[in-house]
Amino acid sequence: NFEQVPGFGVIAFKDGKEVYSYFGGQRNIEKNLPVTKDTRFRVASVSKMFTVFSIMQLVEQGKINLDEDVSKYLGFQLRNPNFPDEKITVRMLASHTSTLRDGSTYILPQDLSLEEFFKPNGKFFEDGAHFADKDKNFFKYSNINYGILGTIIEKVTGERFDIYQKNHIFKDLDIKADYVVGN
């Protein structure tokens, strides 16, 4: 039932032309403002698709190899201690088969290194909560994989992830989007 959704918009295209649109709900419940074509939404995990677009651009440019050990890009060795001989690859991160898991925290303050999740004395190690202890091939949706992919994009390009996205993905698609809420 669309009426129960706080706010959403749907636009369908065929052959590059808009053929259908519907906007429902409210963009601001307190002010009773309806959703319009210009309403901006927080896309959350939809951004994973754009992260993979960036990864694939860099693969096409020869800057990233999907089957390379991510340690090469990160500058530190990243292994699941339960599978110490198994490399974690870019492909595994993108497909949620890396054996890495979300702990209670998967977002770091800017001044901390990604290693804080994975080294035993790290501030966010959480007793190894970020490592699977079961079947290494088991698919498990994991947000932390995409934080690592974003870090790889930054290391390979020398650009902050959100700026890379704006300059190399959103701009080309004429999408007015941002990862920084204040923008």
Side-chain angles (χ1 to χ4, degrees):
N1 182 349
F2 289 143
E3 303 308 317
Q4 294 175 348
V5 177
F8 72 99
V10 175
I11 302 175
F13 292 86
K14 183 176 181 179
D15 300 323
K17 295 182 181 170
E18 184 179 320
V19 294
Y20 175 81
S21 66
Y22 180 85
F23 306 97
Q26 298 174 314
R27 70 178 189 263
N28 185 315
I29 295 171
E30 291 175 358
K31 295 181 181 177
N32 197 28
L33 298 174
V35 170
T36 69
K37 189 173 189 169
D38 296 320
T39 300
R40 296 180 82 178
F41 293 92
R42 181 177 178 275
V43 297
S45 286
V46 173
S47 65
K48 287 177 175 65
M49 172 176 47
F50 292 97
T51 302
V52 171
F53 292 165
S54 295
I55 291 291
M56 293 311 295
Q57 279 182 340
L58 296 167
V59 166
E60 288 176 350
Q61 294 168 18
K63 295 178 179 176
I64 289 179
N65 177 329
L66 291 174
D67 298 310
E68 182 68 61
D69 184 335
V70 297
S71 302
K72 170 186 172 184
Y73 302 112
L74 297 173
F76 66 92
Q77 186 166 4
L78 178 58
R79 292 281 190 279
N80 181 326
N82 300 307
F83 309 102
D85 298 328
E86 298 289 327
K87 69 181 181 181
I88 295 173
T89 67
V90 173
R91 183 185 310 270
M92 292 165 76
L93 292 171
S95 64
H96 301 284
T97 58
S98 68
T99 74
L100 300 179
R101 303 293 184 252
D102 292 334
S104 63
T105 301
Y106 54 86
I107 298 172
L108 287 173
Q110 269 188 311
D111 61 329
L112 294 178
S113 165
L114 187 61
E115 287 180 271
E116 295 294 321
F117 287 123
F118 306 113
K119 61 183 181 181
N121 61 342
K123 186 171 182 175
F124 295 97
F125 185 69
E126 298 179 16
D127 292 324
H130 299 290
F131 299 111
D133 59 0
K134 298 194 178 181
D135 179 8
K136 68 180 176 184
N137 295 314
F138 182 73
F139 169 89
K140 176 81 171 171
Y141 187 90
S142 178
N143 291 294
I144 201 166
N145 288 336
Y146 278 77
I148 297 168
L149 289 172
T151 300
I152 291 170
I153 291 166
E154 291 181 342
K155 298 269 188 182
V156 167
T157 66
E159 287 185 75
R160 211 173 67 197
F161 174 78
D162 61 313
I163 294 171
Y164 182 89
Q165 291 279 297
K166 285 178 94 163
N167 292 335
H168 301 280
I169 300 291
F170 300 152
K171 180 178 158 188
D172 293 341
L173 296 172
D174 195 28
I175 294 175
K176 291 162 185 50
D178 205 308
Y179 286 91
V180 180
V181 177
N183 293 344

